[in-house]
Each structure stands twice: as C-alpha cells, then as structure tokens.
Amino acid sequence: MDVQLNSPVPVHSFDEWRAAARALLERQVAPEAVRWLTASDVPAVPAAPLLAAPDVRISRTLMHMLQTAACCRTPNRWAFLYRVLWRWQHGERAVLAPQDADGARLRAMVAAVQRELDAMLVGIRFRERRPDAGAPRFVAWCEPGHEVLPQLARHFAARMRRVTWMIATPEASVMWDGATLHSTGALLRGPFPAETGGWLGVFSPARLDAELIDPSAAPPASPDAPATLLACRRCALWQNATQPVPGAGPARARIMLVGEQPGDQEDLAGQPFVGPAGKLLGSALAQAGLERRAIYLTNAVKHFKWEARGKRRMHKTPAQREIEACAYWLERELALVQPRVVVALGNTALKALSGNPRAALKQMLGTPVQHQGRWIVAVYHPAYVLRVPGDEARARAFAVLADGLREAKRLAS
Ligand code: URA
C-alpha cells in the first residue's frame, strides 16, 4: 500500500487497512494525523505494491479481534482500528480491556459481528437448484447487518467440502466450486422467489451438521436439545470461544480419535488438530501406518476453554460438568460414525468415553478394553508428549502414542 503522508488513505477491505496501518506505523504517523476514506468514498483501484513490511508483531488474539471488528458496519471503523493498533504497538495493553473506552468499543464490535455470524450460520437457508452444468447446487440469499460474508463463506466451504454453493447478499456474492471460493459484486437481486419449479428443496444448517456426517441422520430426539453445535449453550464455554469445533473425517471411519478440546489455533480455524499437537499427532499416525484422512478426529469438549495470560490465551482443562455437557455431541458422533475402535487421547477423552470421572489414563495405557460394543485404546495426548521434558523421555512418550495407534489399526482391521 503506497501511503502518502498528509493524503487520505483509501480502504476497501481489512487487508488494505492492514497494509496501510503497517506502513503508517512504520512511519510513526499518529492516528489523529490520518484521514481514512472508506469504500463508499472512493472506487476500488488495483492494489498498489506493498511497502516493505515493517516489524509489526501483534498477538493472534488481537489480530483476530481486529479482523472481526473490521466487519462491523460502524462509522470511522478504520480510524478506530488504527488507534487501537497504535496504542497496542506503543505498549498500551489496556487498550483491549473492557474498562478502557477503546477496549470496550472493540469488544462490542467483535460481539456484534459474532452475534450476527451466529445468527446467520443457524438461520441461513440453502435452496437446492435443479442440476445445471457449471451452476452451484445450493444457493442462499441473506442480508447481514455486518460484513460477515467472508466468514460465512469460509465456514461453509469447510463444511460442505465438495458440494457447490453460492451465497448472495445485496452487496456481494460468493461462490464455492468445491475447491475455491470466488467473490463477485452483487449478482442477484434477491430475496429468492417462493418455492417453485426451479428449486428442489431447502437445506438449513440445522440439518447440515448431521447430514454431512450421515444423510440418514435423524434430528435430535429431545425437544430441548440444541439443533446444531453452533447453537449449543449446554455449558458456558461458548461465551469465550470463537466457535465450536466439530469433528472431522469420513462418515464411516473405522477409527475415531478423541482429543480433549480445541486449542487456540483450532478455535480460530474451526477444525480439530490443526495446531502443534495436531502436527505431532500426524507424525504418530504416520509412524503407526495410519492415514489421517481415513480417521475421524474429534474432541470430548467442542469449545476452547482458556484463560488470558498477558496477551496469550492459555488452555484450561475442562471441568467434569463441561465434559458431561458435551457428551451429548460425542455420543451423536459415535452413533453416526460407528467406529470399531476409539482412541482416547489423554485423560479428558478417557473420562468422556468411559463415562467414569475417575478413569485413570496410566492404568489403561496399552490395554485396549471393550466398551459399549467397541474397542477403546487409551494413549497419551499429543500435547502432553510435546511437553515431556528431556529428549529420551519425550521419545518414549511418543512411542507409547504411536504404539497405541498401531494397536488401534490392528483392532480395526
Ligand atoms: N488438543 C486437542 O485435544 N484437540 C485439538 O483439536 C487440538 C489440541
């Protein structure tokens, strides 16, 4: 972004703002000296070459908050976000605190966007079109109050995998061709007409979770059961998490791996085991001769439980009542996937799978047991293996994990 001192800064997107903000910070331009122009003030122009990026390092949490708040349709948002970044970069960590005026506003913006996103994710309705070469199979129309289309798009791209769809809003549309997201301006004038010959049916995310695992999945039996994981309020953990992280993997995997709960990176990505523990798990699976894509990966608890330490979000072990609240989802996954072997990665998973709050991992390591018609194999959690002090002891813990996975492979075949 070629930023001229004393000239207004045009911004059309978060990426443009970020590039401009970095350049301004590098030149020590104070927030009061910048005039930001928004999309409605200036037409979009091809992106100018970036200045060499200055050394602006911010925490993942702050980046996530800025990115989320940037979707909030509120006046002067770019100027406000730059002020937050400026204060943070100048050592004012209180800028994120709820007691700080800017911190409170930032949090309110993030919460407004998150609420909107939650409502959209639960409420959006996809209509299935008659097959037509090149056209997306499902189409949805929505009118979000904030600019949440990119997040919605990323969510459904991960969710619907190879199934093609388009989401249209009054300002923009995004299409998923099964591999890549394509954004355009407003394509449709929506809302779509009532159900007529052109549409095959309506697909709501309330059914999406279940149907993507198994098309014959029944809706939740009890009337007070949440319709989707996204709407889950069975315990309080949803309040501080970015999103729930559902399990992922083949609908009928023979082996299911159950971890404890999503970590910082999983919470942001919405997928299990994508952080450091996931990398180590990948190596252990490879060592055991198992393909990660053949396995269903999930967690005993679906929301990230954490506490702030400085600017970092530190993992906190879930309480028994949270494990019990979330057992509802684990049981649904077990019923749908019907794995022959379930691997408990660590103590929390073992408690959840055995239904025994006093289950002790050490006593079960290396000894598969039959439980409710399937094998349970207990192994160390990969995050524990990462933390074991000393190379030799760590290698031994890794071997226990890999051996358990090898045993699971044997039992599943
Ligand atoms: N640890 C877990 O238990 N699960 C994850 O998904 C990531 C880290």
Side-chain angles (χ1 to χ4, degrees), residues 11-18 39 70 78:
V11 172
H12 301 88
S13 67
F14 180 75
D15 286 344
E16 282 189 14
W17 172 83
R18 183 165 60 167
W78 303 118

Side-chain angles (χ1 to χ4, degrees), residues 259-263 266 271-274 277-278 298-299 381 383:
E260 181 185 82
Q261 60 165 345
E266 288 79 13
Q271 289 177 41
F273 287 103
V274 293
T298 191
N299 283 297
H381 191 287

Side-chain angles (χ1 to χ4, degrees), residues 343-386:
V343 179
L345 300 169
N347 236 331
T348 299
L350 185 60
K351 287 178 185 171
L353 286 165
S354 63
N356 176 5
R358 277 187 284 278
L361 183 72
K362 287 257 155 66
Q363 289 162 13
M364 295 242 339
L365 280 176
T367 317
V369 291
Q370 284 254 305
H371 183 71
Q372 296 180 342
R374 60 179 77 92
W375 287 104
I376 297 184
V377 178
V379 294
Y380 288 133
H381 191 287
Y384 165 80
V385 177
L386 280 175

Side-chain angles (χ1 to χ4, degrees), residues 209-386:
D209 280 341
E211 295 200 17
L212 283 177
I213 296 172
D214 179 352
S216 63
S222 125
D224 55 22
T228 66
L229 187 53
L230 264 171
C232 184
R233 304 291 183 259
R234 296 174 70 88
C235 75
L237 291 186
W238 65 274
Q239 288 172 5
N240 290 326
T242 308
Q243 58 193 318
V245 178
R252 287 271 188 247
R254 287 179 165 213
I255 302 179
M256 180 186 283
L257 262 53
V258 182
E260 181 185 82
Q261 60 165 345
D264 183 77
Q265 295 195 27
E266 288 79 13
D267 168 80
L268 297 174
Q271 289 177 41
F273 287 103
V274 293
K279 280 209 186 76
L280 185 130
L281 180 62
S283 310
L285 285 169
Q287 183 128 337
L290 283 167
E291 271 196 281
R292 183 174 170 139
R293 63 192 171 90
I295 285 171
Y296 189 91
L297 281 173
T298 191
N299 283 297
V301 172
K302 306 289 195 266
H303 283 105
F304 179 34
K305 180 174 182 181
W306 58 277
E307 62 188 352
R309 205 166 301 153
K311 52 186 178 171
R312 301 186 62 197
R313 299 192 301 169
M314 302 306 291
H315 157 277
K316 251 187 119 180
T317 304
Q320 182 59 28
R321 65 179 179 287
E322 289 150 356
I323 299 173
E324 281 166 17
C326 222
Y328 169 81
W329 297 108
L330 186 57
E331 275 160 23
R332 272 181 76 180
E333 287 175 301
L334 287 165
L336 290 169
V337 179
Q338 296 182 17
R340 285 193 191 178
V341 185
V342 187
V343 179
L345 300 169
N347 236 331
T348 299
L350 185 60
K351 287 178 185 171
L353 286 165
S354 63
N356 176 5
R358 277 187 284 278
L361 183 72
K362 287 257 155 66
Q363 289 162 13
M364 295 242 339
L365 280 176
T367 317
V369 291
Q370 284 254 305
H371 183 71
Q372 296 180 342
R374 60 179 77 92
W375 287 104
I376 297 184
V377 178
V379 294
Y380 288 133
H381 191 287
Y384 165 80
V385 177
L386 280 175

